[in-house]
Every structure is written in structure tokens, then in C-alpha cells.
Amino acid sequence: MIEIEENLEILTRDGVLLRADLYRRTGQGPLPVILFRTPYDKTALNMDVLTPMQAVRGGYACVVQDTRGRFASGGDWSPMAWEAEGPDTFDTVEWIAKQDWCNGNVGMAGASYLGIVQWLGAMEQPPHLKAIAPTMSTSAEFDSHDTGGCFRLDHVFSWLAFMAADWLKRRVALGDIPDADTIAKIRTMATNPRLVMDELPLRENPWFDLDKFPLSVSELLQKSVEQTPTFDFSRIQIPTLSVGGFFDVFPRATIKQFDAVVEQGADNVANEHRLIIGPWLHAGTLPHYQGEMNFGLLAAASYSQLPQKHLQFFDRHLKGSAAPLPRIEYFLAGLNQWLTTETWPPESQLQSLHLRSNGDAGYTGGRLTRELPVDDEPADVYRADPSHPVPTHGGRVLYLGGLAPGPLSQAHLEPRDDVLVYTGEALQEQLVVAGNVFLKMHAMTSATDCDWIVKLLDVLPDSRAILVAEGALRARFRLGYDSEKLLTPDQLLEYEVDLGPVAWAFERGHQLRLHIQSSNFPHLDRNMQTGNELGVDSGGVIAMQTIVHTFSTPSVLHLPILKR
């Protein structure tokens, strides 16, 4: 029989009581323990990567804790208050190790915020923490690369609204009733999040101007609050199992964290780090169908086996009784099978596809071809208006604010005059792309700043244009995300837009397609194209965007073709 002991109290070094629930089999002696630390309610934890019940059935005790200031735990909550999570994790791990139901070996698991907490805790080096399994996490040094320096508008605003609901409930329970305006705003944010995101100027957004709420939009946009923490991977002394998804919001970061901990972490565990990348988006549930695609029975089987892979990883490092997992496992969509590799990207050969015009007087769509352009090739021009941004549809987005994530068709966006479309010929044989995709393009804008949004699509015989991967680059960050340099209008420059990791088989008869646009709203904040700092403009300027692709100034899509 599995018993649950609720609200165990763990006292932190600064006197805060954190509360946790203990899951274990009745009558068993000391066991290794798997710890989850969550801000989303310990009583509601249910993740496909691993659940407390699965951990207990696998021969572990399991502790699920509310983080500081959330639900049953004491202390004050502040959004993105990362400085407390490392010490709180250390104190919790060491408290667990002293209990008579623990044999002194502790591991950690969980996704998203729960994954970030694991990295922060491991950096503190609690002596009894033996392994961590962070899923779909990110860190400051990699997060900007995922968005090209753009602001994750829908992600951040919808997450804050989600967190504000418990903040309100907690205040009411303590008898500290907020004013009617605060209650009404939180209710509106929960039911109509898009209304909050449409507000301009962004920095003066009134929706988070809440009575006693610990964060304002202005503080967030001024970067006085770190959306994601910075990790020191040299302090990671234990094995890690990183899990990510190709349609997750953090696919690049998950892979880069794996690489960083292998290269910078302790030498004695460098060969014990593991990485799994599946056909998944950012969610607690990881089904085999995403967006408009069903990836078949092998993907379904892998979803059901993911908890077993976690237990195998923990068995090796908390019990010393299991063989190692493959170093890297990834799911190849289209072929719908799992492959292994020692490094990411896997061994591949780079194929280059050039952007070409059709040569029509009126632009109706360009070509994506291996043929080299000529020097008098006409450029492609589109008009970018911040007041009418290209709407987000699918992709690597969060699901809390009303957006639908995953591989959805983009065909309905193609009639817009602010979306350039480049299409390849129907494939004569299957083309397997596995690795990091990027576009090097020559372009110019009439503004002092703009965004370049690039999407890679798989055009099916039924005319659906399925989103495979996407990348963004805010032009002012073209030289790096730690510095800003505005543009000289109408200056021709070369830009590199990273579309992130891809593992996708384009079938015979399908076509590759590329979209280029200057907005993806509300997933990303709209660039007002004024060159002003983020969030201060109530109105933007219309810009003419020019994509150049001649022999001497080409624009080229680079695809890693899997060697088989």
C-alpha cells in the first residue's frame, strides 16, 4: 500500500517553513528519494516524465514540495525570485537525507520551473543530491538565443496571470482582501489574456498594476528582473538527464545546457550526462500527437516509456544497479522512429538552398532551390506595419494564454502582403533533416530596428504547410544579445537567423517552404521599428523590408542532411 503523509514542515536557513508531501510504501525501510519542488501546487503534480506514484512503484520514496510563498509553503512569493531557489533546494535535500525513511541518496525531477530549480539546487552542491533530471528548462545565457532577443510576450504575460490567480487566493485566505479593481483585473487576465497583450504602450500596461503585486511590467521590461537565472555549469558535480521537445519553447536551451554541463561540469561525471529530445511541446503531458500531426505508435510507446527511462537513470545513480541510457536519444518525425547519437547535431552533410525570385513584376512567391542566383536578380520587398502584426499560429509557444502550440499549417497566412514565401520543387526522394537549421540572408529595412522571423515548413500534397521550425532575430541584437546597435536605414547587411534543432523527414512529393516576416504576435512582442527601448511606444512606424539574393549577396537556407 502507498501512503501519503501531508504537509511535512522543512525549516530553511532563514526561518521559512516549506511544506511537502511524502509518498512511500507502507512498512518499507530507508529508500532513495526523488524530490519535486513546484510552484504549481504539490497536490496537483502530474507529469508524464515521472509521477510520484511511478517513483514509489519503482522503489523510491518521493517528496513533493511547494516552493517558497506558494500554496502550503510559507514565505513571500515573488515572480522569478530565483535567488531563494538554490538555498531552499539545498536545505530541503539535506533535511530529507536525515529522515529515517531516506537512505541518504536524493535525486530530483520535474519540468519547466521545476527543471530550473534543479539546476539552481545542484549548483549549491548539497552533499546528498546524487542526480537531477531537468525537463524543458532554460537559462539566461541561452534564452535570448531562443527568441533572437525578442520578448516572449504571450509566454511571460500569461504565466504571470496564471501565477497571480494563486497570489490572489492566498491573500484572501490570509484575510488581506485586495481592492475590487485588482480582483477584476486578475479575472480578466484569466479569461481574456489577449486583451492584456494588445495594450500599448507595453511598458505602461495597466493590467499588472495590481495592489501589492510584487512585479510591474515596467520592471520586467527594464530587465531589472531576470526572467530566467544564469547557471554556473562548472558547479554541477552530479549526473544529469535533460529532456526536451522539438516543439518546446526551450529546445535550443535544453541542448545547450546538456553541452555546457558536459564541457564545464565535473570531469568524473562527464560521461554520465544524458539527453532525450522527443516530438513534444511545452506541457506536463507528452502525447504522440502534436498540432496537426500524429507521430504514430513508436512515439506513443516512447511517451509511456519515459518514466521508465527516468527510473533507469535514477537506479544507476541512486542505487548503482542499472545500465546507462544511450547518450542522446532523439525522435525523427516523418520516419517516426527513435535514433541515438553521441553528439548533437548527429553526423550530417550541409545542404544549401538559395532564395530566388520568380522574376514577376508583382511579387507572388519565390523559389527555394539549389540553383545559384544571378547578379541582377530582383529583390523581394514587403511592408511591415506594427499595428497589423502577423498573428501567431502554432510553433514553439506556451499554451497558457490562448495560443495553440505545435506543428500547425501556416497556409492561411500566405495571402498576407507582409509574409514572403519561398517554395522548393516537389521532392523526388525523401529528405531527412537532423541538426540545427539556419538562414543566412542579405536584407535591409527602412527603419532603425526590425524583427526577422523565419519559418521552415513542410508542404503536404493536400496543400497544408506544416510548421517544422522557426527562428527570430531582433536586428539591433545582430552582433550579440548583450549589446544593442541600431540600424542605418536602407543599409544592406547579412543576418543569420537560427531556426533551432530539427529532426524531420520530408517525404517524397512534399515541398520545403520558407516564410519570412517581421512579426509573430502575440508570441513575441511587436517591434515598433522606432529604435526606442522596449515597450515605450504607443505607435510604431511602417517599414519597407527588402530581402536581397544575388550571386554576390546571396540569401541561403542551410539544412543538415542526416548521413545514413
Side-chain angles (χ1 to χ4, degrees):
M1 177 183 293
I2 297 176
E3 61 181 32
I4 304 173
E5 188 175 349
E6 298 181 343
N7 291 324
L8 299 178
E9 293 186 344
I10 300 161
L11 186 65
T12 66
R13 64 192 69 179
D14 60 346
V16 172
L17 278 178
L18 304 180
R19 293 181 175 86
D21 295 343
L22 169 65
Y23 296 70
R24 58 175 176 161
R25 286 193 183 274
T26 303
Q28 281 199 323
L31 293 171
V33 175
I34 296 176
L35 167 65
F36 297 84
R37 301 192 64 243
T38 177
Y40 306 127
D41 188 358
K42 59 184 172 61
T43 66
L45 184 73
N46 187 22
M47 294 186 177
D48 282 348
V49 292
L50 184 67
T51 67
M53 290 298 188
Q54 288 167 335
V56 173
R57 294 188 182 102
Y60 294 85
C62 185
V63 173
V64 186
Q65 182 188 69
D66 286 328
T67 55
R68 178 178 294 240
R70 300 295 293 173
F71 295 91
S73 283
D76 296 324
W77 170 76
S78 179
M80 305 161 190
W82 305 112
E83 65 277 358
E85 297 297 2
D88 284 357
T89 299
F90 182 105
D91 294 347
T92 300
V93 168
E94 293 308 298
W95 181 89
I96 290 170
K98 295 176 182 177
Q99 307 310 303
D100 58 9
W101 36 263
C102 177
N103 70 358
N105 295 320
V106 182
M108 294 184 71
S112 194
Y113 191 106
L114 287 72
I116 293 174
V117 164
Q118 293 174 61
W119 289 110
L120 293 171
M123 283 167 48
E124 298 289 320
Q125 300 179 3
H128 294 90
L129 184 62
K130 305 301 184 182
I132 59 172
T135 294
M136 298 179 182
S137 64
T138 190
S139 50
E141 60 268 51
F142 302 133
D143 195 55
S144 292
H145 196 80
D146 268 312
T147 61
C150 302
F151 178 67
R152 296 181 188 274
L153 179 64
D154 176 85
H155 182 133
V156 174
F157 275 28
S158 61
W159 184 83
L160 281 175
F162 174 72
M163 299 294 274
D166 174 64
W167 171 82
L168 174 62
K169 181 180 177 182
R170 190 182 182 92
R171 282 192 58 185
V172 171
L174 293 173
D176 182 14
I177 310 299
D179 58 53
D181 181 60
T182 291
I183 295 173
K185 283 179 177 177
I186 293 177
R187 183 180 297 113
T188 299
M189 287 191 290
T191 57
N192 191 0
R194 181 59 183 271
L195 184 66
V196 181
M197 298 169 207
D198 283 339
E199 194 77 36
L200 290 173
L202 192 59
R203 184 163 292 186
E204 297 176 17
N205 193 298
W207 293 98
F208 286 103
D209 184 17
L210 305 173
D211 177 39
K212 298 182 182 179
F213 194 69
L215 180 67
S216 71
V217 171
S218 180
E219 289 173 320
L220 190 63
L221 298 184
Q222 288 171 357
K223 298 184 179 179
S224 58
V225 174
E226 196 172 38
Q227 294 178 41
T228 52
T230 299
F231 299 152
D232 181 355
F233 293 98
S234 69
R235 294 190 56 78
I236 306 298
Q237 305 289 306
I238 56 177
T240 66
L241 168 62
S242 295
V243 179
F246 288 110
F247 307 112
D248 177 37
V249 295
F250 307 131
R252 301 172 185 85
T254 298
I255 294 171
K256 286 181 177 294
Q257 288 172 166
F258 168 78
D259 290 338
V261 75
V262 170
E263 295 169 5
Q264 302 172 33
D267 291 340
N268 63 315
V269 295
N271 291 327
E272 294 293 344
H273 300 295
R274 295 295 182 263
L275 174 65
I276 300 174
I277 321 170
W280 305 311
L281 45 83
H282 197 87
T285 55
L286 305 174
H288 58 284
Y289 48 87
Q290 308 287 356
E292 296 184 41
M293 307 299 291
N294 187 322
F295 296 110
L297 294 177
L298 282 179
S302 68
Y303 142 71
S304 64
Q305 291 172 6
L306 197 54
Q308 293 304 315
K309 291 182 181 295
H310 276 71
L311 292 174
Q312 182 178 343
F313 171 77
F314 286 125
D315 285 351
R316 179 171 176 82
H317 300 296
L318 274 67
K319 296 180 180 179
S321 61
L325 295 168
R327 188 163 182 80
I328 300 174
E329 297 179 76
Y330 69 97
F331 187 83
L332 180 59
L335 290 181
N336 294 345
Q337 59 184 236
W338 283 90
L339 301 177
T340 62
T341 179
E342 288 298 306
T343 60
W344 184 271
E347 187 177 1
S348 60
Q349 181 174 353
L350 206 62
Q351 183 177 117
S352 299
L353 296 179
H354 288 265
L355 278 60
R356 299 286 306 272
S357 293
N358 277 336
D360 299 336
Y363 181 79
T364 57
R367 293 181 292 146
L368 201 55
T369 175
R370 300 185 73 170
E371 299 173 3
L372 296 175
V374 295
D375 257 337
D376 60 353
E377 180 110 13
D380 299 320
V381 181
Y382 66 96
R383 180 177 180 269
D385 183 353
S387 65
H388 298 286
V390 180
T392 301
H393 187 68
R396 294 164 175 157
V397 301
L398 200 62
Y399 60 89
L400 292 176
L403 295 179
L408 299 177
S409 177
Q410 309 293 296
H412 66 291
L413 299 175
E414 293 171 358
R416 292 180 61 109
D417 60 6
D418 54 358
V419 177
L420 295 185
V421 181
Y422 298 88
T423 306
E425 296 290 336
L427 294 172
Q428 298 302 305
E429 59 183 15
Q430 186 184 70
L431 185 70
V432 180
V433 177
N436 301 318
V437 175
F438 60 97
L439 174 68
K440 282 190 174 181
M441 68 176 187
H442 283 86
M444 56 186 175
T445 175
S446 62
T448 56
D449 192 23
C450 71
D451 291 347
W452 303 114
I453 312 294
V454 181
K455 300 176 181 177
L456 175 64
L457 314 172
D458 184 355
V459 183
L460 278 55
D462 62 9
S463 297
R464 284 181 295 157
I466 300 297
L467 180 57
V468 174
E470 59 189 328
L473 176 64
R474 182 146 292 175
R476 69 197 304 165
F477 295 116
R478 64 196 180 278
L479 302 179
Y481 304 117
D482 55 354
S483 61
E484 301 182 27
K485 186 175 182 180
L486 294 178
L487 302 168
T488 300
D490 299 319
Q491 178 185 16
L492 183 62
L493 295 171
E494 185 178 39
Y495 298 91
E496 182 172 314
V497 183
D498 181 2
L499 278 69
V502 173
W504 191 280
F506 294 83
E507 297 295 334
R508 183 176 181 273
H510 291 209
Q511 296 168 280
L512 276 74
R513 180 170 290 171
L514 204 68
H515 283 187
I516 299 178
Q517 56 200 59
S518 286
S519 50
N520 187 7
F521 181 80
H523 167 44
L524 304 175
D525 71 301
R526 47 185 137 191
N527 192 325
M528 306 308 282
Q529 301 175 159
T530 62
N532 291 331
E533 58 183 302
L534 178 62
V536 301
D537 292 306
S538 58
V541 299
I542 296 172
M544 301 307 298
Q545 319 289 52
T546 303
I547 308 300
V548 177
H549 34 73
T550 68
F551 183 80
S552 55
T553 54
S555 293
V556 186
L557 177 67
H558 296 281
L559 299 170
I561 307 304
L562 185 66
K563 287 186 177 182
R564 292 190 294 165

